[in-house]
């Protein structure tokens, strides 16, 4: 029996995961990457396995995050020892995944851009196509839903800075904004390099629609406020899709990773869901004969528990003003002294009904 031919487009986490797993399953995998693998990384490079469904990264790990700083009005230390959270060099990590894929028998073609016009040819040549092209996906261009990502995405800007980050050590820092606007982050990769950025999440938030120049100015203001300085090595940013699409299959084409819109609506991270959707796409293809569940239903079934918790947390966040959000941060950090008995009573009506959702966040969503 001939092997199923699968064309994977895009060598980010989702595409590489599909290539590795697909080759292991005996599929004939051709992976096309428009640039070079591991180049043009735009994310903050935190690897958060929120569902405990992926393996610890084997390559590119800078450190396991055991503590984070969470600031609203006050700054709190949040223990992360029991959460699967690592800071990685994503370029190095993706190159490692590519080597795994090659070792399993996948063919990888770099600097091989596939356009939406070429997608039709691939559909006639291959048994299946996995679209891991990110935002906007080539499928969205071909089938007319390109604007979906902008309407359902967070807006981010980020610097990679060279400076002195020894005071943070191996800790991530977050400054959360009230009413689900978003947050500012400082993610050290080493004592001398950090990813420093800003993301707005709520589509109704007016700050989300600021011009690019205004977004960069806001980032500069927050850096000055938090006394973050350094030499700018790189500027990145763009749309992070934070709403999973209902339809993830178009004929022979399966959407995975950012193309599927599966980044977290809570924090914008999407490495774990990219790995999961890429892996599950080739598993679904390999066992497709006689299957009753569609690919879309399969992914929704896997990710719904995570999405339900995160959507609940986003709704809580949206309801909280600055004072209430600060008390929620104290609760997450288990800093009872900063809450105070009187203030705890004041906010208990608003926070305690959501206690179970908050506790699921505290232990890592699904763990």
């Amino acid at each position: 029996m001939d092997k199923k031919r699968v064309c994977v487009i895009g060598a980010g986490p989702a595409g590489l995961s599909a290539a590795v797993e697909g080759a292991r399953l005996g599929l004939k995998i051709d992976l096309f990457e428009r640039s070079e693998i591991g180049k043009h990384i735009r994310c903050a490079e935190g690897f958060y396995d929120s569902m405990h469904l992926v393996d610890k990264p084997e390559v590119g790990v800078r450190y396991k995050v055991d503590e984070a700083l969470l600031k609203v009005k006050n700054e709190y230390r949040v223990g992360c020892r029991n959460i699967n959270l690592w800071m990685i060099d994503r370029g190095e990590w993706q190159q490692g995944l590519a080597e795994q894929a090659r070792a399993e028998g996948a063919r990888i073609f770099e600097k091989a851009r596939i356009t939406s016009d070429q997608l039709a040819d691939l559909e006639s040549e291959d048994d299946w196509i996995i679209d891991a092209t990110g935002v906007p996906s080539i499928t969205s261009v071909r089938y007319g839903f390109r604007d979906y990502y902008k309407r359902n995405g967070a807006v981010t800007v980020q610097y990679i800075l060279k400076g002195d980050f020894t005071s943070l050590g191996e800790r991530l820092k977050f400054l959360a904004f009230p009413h689900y606007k978003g947050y500012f982050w400082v993610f050290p990769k080493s004592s001398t390099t950090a990813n420093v950025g800003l993301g707005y999440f709520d589509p109704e938030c007016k700050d989300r629609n600021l011009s690019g120049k205004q977004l960069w100015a806001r980032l500069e203001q927050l850096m000055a406020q938090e006394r973050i300085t350094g030499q700018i090595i790189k500027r990145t940013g763009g749309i992070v899709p934070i709403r999973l699409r209902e339809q993830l299959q178009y004929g022979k084409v399966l959407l995975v990773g950012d193309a599927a819109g599966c980044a977290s609506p809570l924090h914008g991270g999407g490495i774990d869901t990219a790995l999961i959707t890429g892996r599950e796409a080739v598993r679904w293809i390999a066992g497709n004969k006689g299957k009753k569940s569609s690919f879309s239903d399969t992914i929704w079934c896997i990710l719904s528990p995570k999405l339900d918790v995160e959507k609940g947390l986003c709704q809580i966040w949206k309801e909280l003003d600055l004072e209430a959000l600060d008390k929620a941060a104290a609760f997450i950090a288990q800093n009872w002294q900063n809450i105070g008995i009187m203030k705890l009573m004041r906010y208990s009506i608003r926070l305690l009904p959501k206690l179970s959702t908050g506790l699921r966040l505290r232990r890592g969503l699904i763990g």
Side-chain angles (χ1 to χ4, degrees):
M1 183 180 293
D2 292 337
K3 293 182 178 181
K4 290 181 181 177
R5 293 172 53 90
V6 179
C7 172
V8 181
I9 311 173
L16 289 165
S17 174
V20 171
E21 183 70 8
R24 287 175 179 169
L25 292 172
L27 304 176
K28 185 176 181 180
I29 302 290
D30 285 340
L31 172 62
F32 297 89
E33 166 57 35
R34 65 180 179 179
S35 179
E36 296 177 79
I37 293 173
K39 304 294 184 183
H40 309 297
I41 301 300
R42 296 189 303 148
C43 75
E45 300 183 269
F47 186 123
Y48 179 28
D49 173 24
S50 59
M51 299 183 72
H52 304 275
L53 288 179
V54 299
D55 296 327
K56 173 186 174 180
E58 296 180 1
V59 177
V61 175
R62 292 298 174 258
Y63 54 89
K64 167 72 172 65
V65 180
D66 290 332
E67 185 176 75
L69 301 179
L70 176 58
K71 182 176 179 180
V72 184
K73 290 177 63 178
N74 302 288
E75 188 169 281
Y76 303 99
R77 293 172 179 261
V78 179
C80 304
R81 189 174 298 275
N82 297 323
I83 296 175
N84 290 343
L85 177 60
W86 298 271
M87 190 64 191
I88 66 171
D89 183 299
R90 185 161 150 180
E92 185 179 322
W93 173 66
Q94 289 182 190
Q95 289 166 2
L97 286 178
E99 288 306 310
Q100 288 184 41
R102 290 188 181 100
E104 295 291 344
R107 297 195 303 173
I108 297 179
F109 304 91
E110 298 181 75
K111 296 183 179 179
R113 184 182 182 89
I114 304 297
T115 68
S116 59
D117 291 335
Q118 292 171 314
L119 188 57
D121 295 332
L122 292 173
E123 288 179 87
S124 64
E125 295 169 2
D126 294 285
D127 295 308
W128 293 96
I129 295 106
I130 295 177
D131 184 347
T133 53
V135 177
S137 64
I138 60 171
T139 305
S140 73
V141 176
R142 175 167 167 73
Y143 289 94
F145 59 91
R146 180 173 182 160
D147 66 333
Y148 178 88
Y149 303 106
K150 186 174 182 179
R151 288 187 289 104
N152 298 281
V155 179
T156 66
V157 289
Q158 177 183 260
Y159 288 137
I160 298 178
L161 293 181
K162 184 177 182 181
D164 183 3
F165 299 98
T166 52
S167 61
L168 276 175
E170 296 182 345
R171 295 180 297 188
L172 309 184
K173 181 174 181 177
F174 303 87
L175 172 59
F177 311 140
H179 301 304
Y180 184 51
K181 287 184 178 181
Y183 65 92
F184 166 80
W185 67 82
V186 184
F187 285 14
K189 291 182 70 173
S190 69
S191 61
T192 58
T193 309
N195 297 349
V196 181
L198 162 69
Y200 288 117
F201 286 75
D202 186 359
E204 299 176 4
C205 171
K206 63 179 182 179
D207 293 335
R208 182 182 176 278
N209 297 314
L210 295 175
S211 69
K213 186 176 181 179
Q214 290 171 317
L215 287 169
W216 289 109
R218 178 60 176 147
L219 177 56
E220 294 278 359
Q221 291 171 1
L222 288 164
M223 288 169 57
Q225 173 187 313
E226 299 302 312
R227 298 180 180 178
I228 303 297
T229 60
Q231 177 188 356
I232 298 172
I233 304 300
K234 185 178 179 181
R235 287 165 49 121
T236 63
I239 300 296
V240 178
I242 55 173
R243 182 172 295 174
L244 182 64
R245 285 186 55 78
E246 293 287 342
Q247 183 176 350
L248 298 173
Q249 181 176 354
Y250 290 79
K252 293 181 176 181
V253 182
L254 309 181
L255 299 175
V256 297
D258 281 356
C262 65
S264 167
L266 182 67
H267 52 77
I271 289 181
D272 59 339
T273 48
L275 291 172
I276 290 166
T277 54
R279 180 186 69 194
E280 293 303 321
V282 289
R283 288 180 178 178
W284 186 86
I285 289 170
N288 181 255
K289 187 176 181 179
K291 273 196 171 183
K292 295 182 180 179
S293 295
S294 69
F295 175 67
S296 301
D297 289 342
T298 298
I299 295 301
W300 271 95
C301 182
I302 293 169
L303 296 187
S304 284
K306 167 188 168 71
L307 294 175
D308 289 345
V309 174
E310 293 190 334
K311 287 176 182 176
L313 290 166
C314 291
Q315 186 57 45
I316 295 171
W317 187 358
K318 195 168 187 175
E319 295 170 4
L320 301 181
D321 58 22
L322 185 66
E323 187 73 20
L325 183 61
D326 189 72
K327 301 313 164 193
F331 171 77
I332 292 170
Q334 298 182 342
N335 189 319
W336 314 122
Q337 182 178 0
N338 243 47
I339 299 178
I341 188 64
M342 295 304 294
K343 289 184 177 179
L344 179 62
M345 291 176 65
R346 177 182 172 189
Y347 289 104
S348 62
I349 295 176
R350 298 170 70 179
L351 297 178
L352 291 182
K354 284 100 174 188
L355 180 63
S356 62
T357 305
L359 288 174
R360 292 182 75 178
L361 169 66
R362 185 66 181 80
R363 65 174 181 258
L365 292 183
I366 306 299

